[in-house]
Amino acid sequence: VVAIVFAAIAHGQLKSGNLEEARRNANTAKILCWVSFGLGLVFTILNQTTQTVLDTFLLQRRRNVIRIIVSALRAGLYLLALTLGYGLMGILWAFSIASLVGSLLFVLTIVHIRYPENVQERNEGQDKLTSRFRRYGILSYFNDMGSMILSRRIDNYLISSYLNPASAGIYSFAARIVDMIVALTPLRVGNLIISTILFRQFTGDPTPEFLQRRFHFLSKLAFYLTLPVLVILIGLRYEI
């Protein structure tokens, strides 16, 4: 946000012919952009890693509670920023603050994870377990990075670069409608519930046969729940 301010100042100074000040403010904006990128990368890795650890320990409920808290905080800050007239800058600050709070909550949750009282703490094989966590975390992070590369953010960047911002807005609106429809599908709504139940059941019966049964069940569930929605959407494709 501060980098945007310095860049705007540099743009105005360049227009007025003050090249030296424009160059100085532009360099400041450049440095701040790199700092923001570095901090964003650190907190992104931290967020993904801590959420992966919570999933590994079957603590999806804590993860989901933190997500709800962050979403509520973000919505409140958005409303406050718009009410006070801060506009886009306020929205950016609200998003950043909510993300920072979410990262801190995830870290505090991980730090305070303790063995249950009825379970004896074990240290043997700790190095091997830590290595597996790191390997799983790295693979999960690269998977998320691949999803981000294929996400709408990259589409918006390419469309706005090679066409114009208005085209990016039209595309974003159309894609958002699709997201809203998909979010109402039964599997998307029940995804967190299904995954939580599945993980807990698997700990009680960690066998290939259990996974095969659950895979067939979820495949049929996805087919029978998604097919009616798909038929309706095809029928209303022109209206949508």
Side-chain angles (χ1 to χ4, degrees):
V1 173
V2 180
I4 293 173
V5 174
F6 275 97
I9 294 173
H11 183 69
Q13 291 171 336
L14 180 64
K15 279 184 153 185
S16 63
N18 193 349
L19 298 181
E20 189 63 32
E21 288 296 319
R23 187 178 291 108
R24 184 172 64 83
N25 286 312
N27 287 333
T28 302
K30 181 180 178 181
I31 293 172
L32 290 173
C33 281
W34 279 112
V35 171
S36 300
F37 173 78
L39 292 175
L41 186 62
V42 168
F43 278 105
T44 299
I45 295 175
L46 191 63
N47 259 333
Q48 296 298 328
T49 304
T50 51
Q51 291 188 55
T52 300
V53 172
L54 289 177
D55 288 347
T56 305
F57 282 106
L58 304 179
L59 297 174
Q60 290 90 350
R61 184 175 64 179
R62 297 190 188 183
R63 180 200 63 185
N64 295 338
V65 168
I66 294 175
R67 285 182 175 179
I68 293 173
I69 293 173
V70 172
S71 297
L73 176 62
R74 184 177 295 143
L77 291 175
Y78 282 171
L79 180 61
L80 181 64
L82 295 175
T83 302
L84 297 178
Y86 287 105
L88 180 59
M89 289 294 182
I91 295 295
L92 292 174
W93 274 109
F95 181 86
S96 302
I97 292 172
S99 299
L100 179 62
V101 171
S103 298
L104 294 176
L105 288 176
F106 278 123
V107 172
L108 289 175
T109 302
I110 297 297
V111 170
H112 288 89
I113 290 178
R114 295 289 183 269
Y115 273 85
E117 294 181 0
N118 59 342
V119 177
Q120 183 179 2
E121 186 171 351
R122 300 172 57 185
N123 293 322
E124 62 269 17
Q126 189 70 28
D127 294 337
K128 184 177 180 181
L129 184 62
T130 303
S131 175
R132 289 178 62 186
F133 275 148
R134 289 174 179 169
R135 185 169 63 251
Y136 176 71
I138 291 173
L139 292 175
S140 176
Y141 176 71
F142 278 109
N143 177 66
D144 291 335
M145 288 292 292
S147 299
M148 187 183 71
I149 292 174
L150 298 174
S151 69
R152 194 187 315 140
R153 296 189 184 106
I154 302 300
D155 294 342
N156 285 335
Y157 172 75
L158 294 175
I159 292 172
S160 59
S161 297
Y162 292 100
L163 295 176
N164 53 66
S167 299
I170 295 172
Y171 169 78
S172 298
F173 179 75
R176 182 60 181 166
I177 292 177
V178 175
D179 287 343
M180 292 171 66
I181 294 174
V182 172
L184 295 176
T185 56
L187 285 181
R188 179 62 65 88
V189 174
N191 179 42
L192 293 176
I193 300 175
I194 293 173
S195 61
T196 302
I197 295 174
L198 178 64
F199 280 129
R200 291 199 176 277
Q201 289 179 343
F202 180 68
T203 57
D205 183 19
T207 60
E209 290 76 15
F210 170 83
L211 289 179
Q212 188 174 15
R213 291 196 306 270
R214 283 296 177 268
F215 174 76
H216 289 307
F217 170 73
L218 292 176
S219 298
K220 293 177 181 177
L221 186 67
F223 176 77
Y224 288 118
L225 291 180
T226 306
L227 184 60
V229 178
L230 183 62
V231 171
I232 294 173
L233 293 180
I234 292 175
L236 299 175
R237 62 188 181 276
Y238 295 113
E239 289 80 359
I240 295 175

